[in-house]
Amino acid sequence: MPPDASPQWNEVLFFPLRLPPVCDAIELAILSGSRAKVLGTATLHLSQISSAGAELQGGASGFLPCFGPSFLPFYSPRPDPARTPSTPSDTGVAYRGRVLLELSTHTGSPDGRQQDTIAPEDVTRVQRLLPRRRRFGLCGVFYSATMLSPTSELLRFELSIGNHGDTGDPTCRPAASTTPHGHPVFDGNRYHYLPWYDAKPVVAVTSVWEDAGHRWEAANLLQNMSQRLVSTHGWG
């Protein structure tokens, strides 16, 4: 795809999958350029998106691997930026984007197809079902940072939601998403810690995403009901 902040492939890919599978993961990667540079990767675990039925009560037949249509986030390692010995280094995992993806499994013999185009009416149907966007706030308080390895470099922590709060991403507005830099202090035994004492760092990130409250509210309700039944009646 040409350089675009929000590319749309609208393609369907076919690949054979033998059941039961030997591996437990389907790995996806976003590639860029003629050299196929990997921008980000994501993993779908078959044990989380399918069921053989043996572990279900009553010997149900289970279901084949399926996912979505839903957004799947992609991440990649963030290398150290160019720096001098006097400046701190930032390492970790960087959010690279997300893909609206659907995975479905059909039994039968493969017909040899590897790629096809999604019908325009199917694209319109999915876009119409996307939830409205809302503003979300994420706040975090760091109470302690202990059992650190010895290092002479300055350390800090960063809180991000997607690419919001990522100080290495210039496409998002700046946010108070990082703790102050600090030198680790030896604890007198084996490890090091950051001397925050009574001044606990507070970070906050504001971002805009699709409103998926109807999903996590139902999941929270079912989880609370299950915990209540276990605690009051001992049901497992």
Side-chain angles (χ1 to χ4, degrees):
M1 297 289 292
D4 190 349
S6 183
Q8 295 185 9
W9 288 276
N10 293 333
E11 295 175 345
V12 55
L13 305 177
F14 301 89
F15 62 95
L17 178 66
R18 296 186 179 273
L19 299 175
V22 178
C23 301
D24 181 55
I26 298 178
E27 296 184 355
L28 302 100
I30 299 179
L31 308 179
S32 173
S34 58
R35 297 183 180 180
K37 177 183 176 181
V38 178
L39 295 181
T41 59
T43 302
L44 289 175
H45 295 280
L46 294 177
S47 58
Q48 299 177 357
I49 61 175
S50 64
S51 174
E55 68 277 9
L56 299 179
Q57 185 177 4
S61 59
F63 59 93
L64 296 174
C66 60
F67 176 84
S70 179
F71 285 104
L72 184 66
F74 282 72
Y75 299 89
S76 71
R78 180 171 60 187
D80 292 341
R83 60 186 179 90
T84 62
S86 60
T87 59
S89 62
D90 291 328
T91 59
V93 178
Y95 171 82
R96 297 305 184 189
R98 56 183 185 161
V99 173
L100 185 59
L101 175 72
E102 180 180 9
L103 173 68
S104 60
T105 307
H106 305 277
T107 59
S109 301
D111 56 5
R113 290 186 298 170
Q114 295 183 350
Q115 184 177 352
D116 201 353
T117 303
I118 299 178
E121 54 270 18
D122 292 335
V123 176
T124 304
R125 175 179 57 86
V126 173
Q127 294 291 339
R128 187 172 60 252
L129 296 177
L130 292 178
R132 60 189 180 94
R133 298 170 66 88
R134 291 186 58 184
R135 185 179 300 274
F136 294 90
L138 178 64
C139 180
V141 181
F142 290 82
Y143 288 96
S144 64
T146 59
M147 299 183 66
L148 301 175
S149 301
T151 179
S152 59
E153 297 180 348
L154 291 170
L155 297 181
R156 72 172 181 178
F157 293 87
E158 179 182 274
L159 181 70
S160 62
I161 223 180
N163 53 348
H164 298 274
D166 185 355
T167 55
D169 192 337
T171 62
C172 290
R173 298 170 57 183
S177 59
T178 59
T179 64
H181 288 95
H183 277 294
V185 179
F186 184 53
D187 65 356
N189 184 17
R190 184 174 180 179
Y191 298 104
H192 289 66
Y193 67 96
L194 290 180
W196 287 335
Y197 303 119
D198 295 334
K200 309 300 183 183
V202 179
V203 296
V205 178
T206 301
S207 56
V208 178
W209 302 93
E210 287 78 13
D211 183 10
H214 61 284
R215 294 185 177 180
W216 66 62
E217 289 170 359
N220 291 339
L221 179 61
L222 293 174
Q223 184 177 9
N224 291 334
M225 292 176 57
S226 175
Q227 294 175 352
R228 179 69 63 86
L229 292 174
V230 170
S231 61
T232 56
H233 301 283
W235 295 353

